[in-house]
Amino acid sequence: MDSPVSTVYVQNLNEKVNQNDLKSALYAAFSQFGKILQVTSAKTYKLRGQAWVIFEERTAAQSAISYLNGFTFYDKPLRLSYAHSVSDVFLHRSGVSTNRSSDTHAMRKADSQAKEKATRSRAQTGSISERDRTTDAPSSRIICVKGLPATTTDSMLQILFEQFPGFEDARLTQGADGVARVQFQLVEQATIAFNGLQGFRLNPTHTLALSYVLDRM
């Protein structure tokens, strides 16, 4: 049953991060716990550093808070709690009208469009040529990830890549700063992750650069 606690209230976000990048990263981090209906943040000074992640199921919100509360996100620990009020999503589902500001509705509409665009991009693997999908190595189920911040941990990598089907493992490369290897069960699954996160901007100074690693199985 839908409930107000299906919405996670996120505080202590890095205010220097671009809003679109922030919402994309929040979606990537939280989507492993369940279906997300909406990720909302605001540009107003009073609401800076805050966001709301609206899950379809209450248990997903509970799991997210339990696992990610205190997690270092853009160099700051997340402070998570349950939202105190019912989101517009659930109000509309119940047939209750809402009267929010036009700026808020416009922001949510833009967020929905951005997520839809990202979903389409990740689903278009069949229309992308082999040359566009690869760098120096042929398509493989193993991806080399570069451009990671020095503070990245294996757990952070897993949160970023677990959202993609077939994920098996993600580990930092010893002796190579900002480099990691991520493995999937199938080449096709690795390709979906590759296309979804190639060029993904983690923060203002770090952008992911992905390449395939030759699988010597």
Side-chain angles (χ1 to χ4, degrees):
M1 181 176 180
D2 292 336
S3 164
V5 293
S6 295
T7 301
V8 178
Y9 177 40
V10 186
Q11 294 177 283
N12 200 41
L13 294 169
N14 193 324
E15 299 175 5
K16 297 180 181 179
V17 180
N18 175 275
Q19 288 292 306
N20 290 333
D21 293 339
L22 180 66
K23 286 189 287 186
S24 295
L26 284 170
Y27 190 86
F30 281 82
S31 61
Q32 63 176 308
F33 300 102
K35 182 179 179 180
I36 294 176
L37 300 179
Q38 196 170 68
V39 177
T40 302
S41 62
K43 295 181 180 180
T44 59
Y45 180 79
K46 186 177 181 180
L47 296 178
R48 289 178 66 187
Q50 304 174 59
W52 291 262
V53 179
I54 306 169
F55 286 98
E56 185 173 53
E57 300 291 339
R58 174 174 53 187
T59 54
Q62 292 172 336
S63 297
I65 291 176
S66 176
Y67 188 79
L68 291 181
N69 193 34
F71 181 80
T72 301
F73 188 80
Y74 283 110
D75 303 323
K76 299 183 69 174
L78 293 177
R79 292 208 304 266
L80 307 180
S81 60
Y82 296 113
H84 294 300
S85 60
V86 185
S87 71
D88 282 1
V89 172
F90 293 129
L91 289 177
H92 286 310
R93 280 186 172 187
S94 303
V96 180
S97 63
T98 58
N99 184 22
R100 310 295 187 187
S101 70
S102 58
D103 288 344
T104 300
H105 282 296
M107 178 188 60
R108 291 182 178 178
K109 182 179 179 180
D111 175 51
S112 178
Q113 292 173 340
K115 287 190 290 186
E116 182 179 354
K117 180 179 179 181
T119 301
R120 289 200 304 267
S121 175
R122 292 172 186 176
Q124 289 174 345
T125 57
S127 63
I128 298 176
S129 68
E130 188 70 12
R131 180 179 179 182
D132 291 333
R133 285 204 306 255
T134 61
T135 53
D136 296 331
S139 294
S140 165
R141 67 191 187 101
I142 302 174
I143 297 173
C144 175
V145 184
K146 297 182 180 180
L148 296 165
T151 56
T152 301
T153 65
D154 288 341
S155 295
M156 293 170 66
L157 275 172
Q158 290 174 6
I159 287 177
L160 188 61
F161 283 90
E162 275 179 348
Q163 63 179 310
F164 296 100
F167 170 82
E168 285 191 334
D169 187 46
R171 298 188 182 186
L172 293 169
T173 302
Q174 297 296 325
D177 293 340
V179 180
R181 286 166 60 103
V182 181
Q183 182 169 308
F184 287 85
Q185 294 175 0
L186 302 173
V187 170
E188 294 79 8
Q189 294 167 334
T191 301
I192 293 174
F194 185 99
N195 292 330
L197 291 178
Q198 178 71 286
F200 183 81
R201 191 179 181 191
L202 292 173
N203 58 43
T205 58
H206 293 84
T207 299
L208 295 184
L210 309 184
S211 59
Y212 291 111
V213 177
L214 186 60
D215 191 351
R216 301 185 182 279
M217 284 186 59

